Amino acid sequence: YGDNSLRPRDEPRGLCIFTGEQMPDGLDSMRYRTISLSVDAETFEHATAGPRPNRLDYFQKLAADGVFTQVTHAFVKWLATRLATCREELDERRLFEKEPPVHRRVLDAANVIQSAANIFLNFAMQHDACTAEEADDHFHDCSEALISHVRKVHLQSIEDKPTMAFAEHLSDALLSGRAHIQIDDINEYLESNP
């Protein structure tokens, strides 16, 4: 069938994260197979400046001390004993179904990342690395970031459709509660727009 319903499901074995200042132009297919994490100067400054300790230095020291290697080792051991259950969770949890209208692979990647975050946070709670409240906060932040990313991909896909892009921006502004449409004479408006 043309809808690929008879095609065997071929799950990706991982998701690549890479760094770079610019994505290649004209490769829509690649854009739908990646999650692009942009780190601008403001993000970097937020991590390194201010009265609190420099978080970048802190995490670089943890990496140099092998802490991330140890955590990854413990997580893989923990995951191996729960692999079937975790695979089911990857299939069940769906933050996104069809909205916004973006390529299916973008939604699939976002859903897998969200499920994987939940699995990792369960591991962290079982090893007393965070409380349930902290895990909920992290999960919420992850979900918000994924929603933002999917919306960004959607807006990028309609760049060449200015009317649709304007409607999307207008809708977002009105739904945010920080904008409104003002009609000076509502009766005159209703009479002219039955």
Side-chain angles (χ1 to χ4, degrees):
Y1 294 108
D3 65 356
N4 289 330
S5 60
L6 296 177
R7 184 184 220 172
R9 191 167 176 181
D10 187 20
E11 292 292 336
R13 301 291 185 242
L15 181 66
C16 294
I17 297 177
F18 58 93
T19 60
E21 288 78 26
Q22 187 174 0
M23 293 286 285
D25 291 330
L27 297 175
D28 287 340
S29 179
M30 185 183 78
R31 185 171 45 190
Y32 296 136
R33 289 175 167 83
T34 61
I35 296 288
S36 174
L37 305 174
S38 58
V39 179
D40 56 17
E42 183 179 321
T43 304
F44 183 75
E45 288 170 8
H46 178 73
T48 59
R52 66 183 183 285
N54 181 327
R55 293 188 311 194
L56 193 58
D57 288 347
Y58 173 73
F59 289 119
Q60 286 175 330
K61 179 167 180 2
L62 289 176
D65 292 345
V67 173
F68 295 140
T69 303
Q70 293 169 9
V71 170
T72 302
H73 173 78
F75 177 64
V76 170
K77 267 179 75 173
W78 178 87
L79 186 63
T81 64
R82 296 161 178 79
L83 199 52
T85 305
C86 291
R87 282 188 175 151
E88 287 175 14
E89 182 173 341
L90 289 175
D91 286 338
E92 290 173 7
R93 181 178 291 275
R94 291 290 177 247
L95 176 64
F96 305 102
E97 289 299 328
K98 301 284 184 209
E99 295 293 329
V102 296
H103 195 281
R104 179 183 54 84
R105 289 193 175 134
V106 173
L107 298 179
D108 287 348
N111 284 322
V112 167
I113 290 171
Q114 185 200 37
S115 295
N118 190 56
I119 291 167
F120 186 79
L121 289 167
N122 284 330
F123 159 78
M125 285 189 301
Q126 287 183 18
H127 288 81
D128 296 324
C130 69
T131 65
E133 184 179 333
E134 290 169 329
D136 286 344
D137 288 345
H138 288 304
F139 187 76
H140 175 76
D141 290 347
C142 175
S143 298
E144 289 295 315
L146 289 168
I147 289 168
S148 174
H149 174 74
V150 169
R151 296 277 310 148
K152 183 177 102 177
V153 169
H154 172 62
L155 291 175
Q156 287 172 345
S157 72
I158 61 173
E159 281 178 345
D160 296 331
K161 304 169 193 156
T163 304
M164 186 184 274
F166 175 75
E168 287 282 334
H169 289 302
L170 181 61
S171 173
D172 287 346
L174 292 172
L175 290 173
S176 74
R178 290 178 266 159
H180 67 279
I181 295 176
Q182 180 175 336
I183 301 172
D184 292 330
D185 187 346
I186 191 68
N187 292 327
E188 181 181 325
Y189 174 79
L190 291 175
E191 288 171 7
S192 63
N193 297 289

